[in-house]
Amino acid sequence: MSDVPVLIRGGRVVDPSRRLDQTLDVLLRDGFVAAVAEKIAPPKGAEIVDAAGLVVAPGFVDLHVHLREPGFEQKETIATGTAAAAAGGFTAVCAMANTDPVADDAPTVAFVVRRARETGRVRVHPIGAISKGLKGEELAEIGSMKAEGIVAVSDDGKGVQNAGLMRRAMEYAGMFDLPVVIHAEDSGLAMGGVMNEGWVSTRLGLAGQPAAAESVMVARDVQIAALASARLHVAHVSTRASLEAIRGARRHGVDVTCEATPHHLALTDEEVARSGYDTRFKMNPPLRSEVDRLALVAALADGTIDCVATDHAPHHADEKALEFADAPFGVIGLETALPVLVEALLSPKHLSLMRLVEVLSTAPARLFGLPYGTLAEGAHGDVVLFSTTRSTHVTPDGFHSKARNSPWVTRTLKGRVERTWVAGREVFSRGPGGAKP
Ligand SMILES: [Zn+2]
């Protein structure tokens, strides 16, 4: 039995894969995009969606989320994490390997794939670990994980300190055509710092980690990538010096891409002071200086930063209720990504609407070779409908995520996701109560 066709009428269709920005109808049928054109006649029995005044775009793709299952179901599950994704307009997410057990072998990856099929609301693509147990000592079973569907390898959460192991990981991942995603952190330089090292950390009396703890690892790994002819992707880039290392490497032909998070693009370490040591502003890499933030914004516009990824990192409220120095790193981000980018980048015209959709959808899909990020006829019926003028009021009870550790709680942000479809089926709708302008 086939699904009811969906006709999305009269929206502003923004499709970076074809540089298309035009008022059009979009027809979803049998899981795919059946047509994109002016005034499509509704097929019999079709659901008609009035998209006037709204943007219709290919569903967002997040290369960096922590779904916490297996092992940390008190923080998040694949069911709740993907419900959060759908509510944020994301139709595909890549799940990091730092679960318990770690996704460092085929059975654990197979478990994630199966759970996602049974309980996931959006598409889930697992990322396998680089090293067994994320210990940075022995390579994980990259080949057998690839057979179960991993799309990249990463020890995210920890930097790989051993350069020799990183070289072998890059050589091995290259044989399986997988990108290596680095969490760039030199643990000796970071030295247990809980926020950015600088004037603010000094003032607050908190241990800081210097920007160089990130950028020296980026500088190291682009050189190893050149040596290994590898495909390197730098996760959550947060400093100006890291961007300079990436630009320099590209000039020399190194195959390196990178992502930035909405929080690093919109916030600085001053928030830790302003909020009075609020742990909702504690993440790794930490919020940096305004100089770094401005460099990130410029780099996202000029293409040095390829895409946005949320680094959605749910924690239980009790864990985040600890003292700043003791609380775990990480903030949730799936449900606020679009409004944060509209508020911080689109509205002040730091980014065009075309580029905004590109960095959330078309670019990340391309980086990991995923068949999304386009509304071309025949493409997967993964679509987001959003407003750039309506507002999202972020409340603790409004999240679909199990977690509440968001820096945006109590804030009102411009931009709002209205509806999301995966394979032509609705997976999120704001509903009549919330859909008022
Ligand atoms: Zn990380």
Side-chain angles (χ1 to χ4, degrees), residues 267-289:
L267 302 172
T268 69
D269 56 0
E270 286 288 352
E271 296 291 341
V272 181
R274 202 171 300 147
S275 67
Y277 301 86
D278 192 322
T279 60
R280 290 181 301 115
F281 299 95
K282 180 177 179 180
M283 65 291 278
N284 195 16
L287 297 174
R288 302 290 187 183
S289 69

Side-chain angles (χ1 to χ4, degrees), residues 309-322:
T310 67
D311 193 5
H312 179 82
H315 289 293
H316 193 273
D318 294 347
E319 300 167 300
K320 274 294 205 184
L322 297 170

Side-chain angles (χ1 to χ4, degrees), residues 196-221:
N196 183 49
E197 180 180 305
W199 166 234
V200 183
S201 66
T202 306
R203 223 165 69 214
L204 296 179
L206 289 172
Q209 46 173 286
E214 174 180 303
S215 55
V216 298
M217 283 304 236
V218 175
R220 182 198 78 173
D221 286 351

Side-chain angles (χ1 to χ4, degrees), residues 20 29 52 61 71 104 110 134 141 181 188 198 217 244 247 290-291 327 366 370 380 385-386 435:
L20 183 70
R29 188 155 52 187
V61 177
D104 61 2
L134 305 178
E141 297 170 16
V181 180
M217 283 304 236
E244 282 162 10
R247 286 191 182 105
E290 179 67 359
V291 170
R366 193 186 59 237
L370 303 171
H380 287 289
L385 186 64
F386 67 89

Side-chain angles (χ1 to χ4, degrees), residues 353-425:
L353 183 60
M354 181 68 73
R355 181 70 182 144
L356 178 90
V357 174
E358 185 174 39
V359 300
L360 282 169
S361 177
T362 310
R366 193 186 59 237
L367 295 189
F368 280 13
L370 303 171
Y372 316 129
T374 175
L375 293 178
E377 273 176 34
H380 287 289
D382 296 6
V383 181
V384 56
L385 186 64
F386 67 89
S387 167
T388 59
T389 53
R390 295 174 188 167
S391 294
T392 299
H393 182 55
V394 186
T395 60
D397 297 332
F399 291 114
H400 293 73
S401 170
K402 264 194 188 181
R404 305 283 178 267
N405 53 312
S406 162
W408 308 103
V409 167
T410 74
R411 295 272 300 269
T412 297
L413 304 161
K414 208 174 235 193
R416 192 166 80 180
V417 173
E418 301 295 343
R419 293 174 83 157
T420 311
W421 292 266
V422 172
R425 288 187 189 175

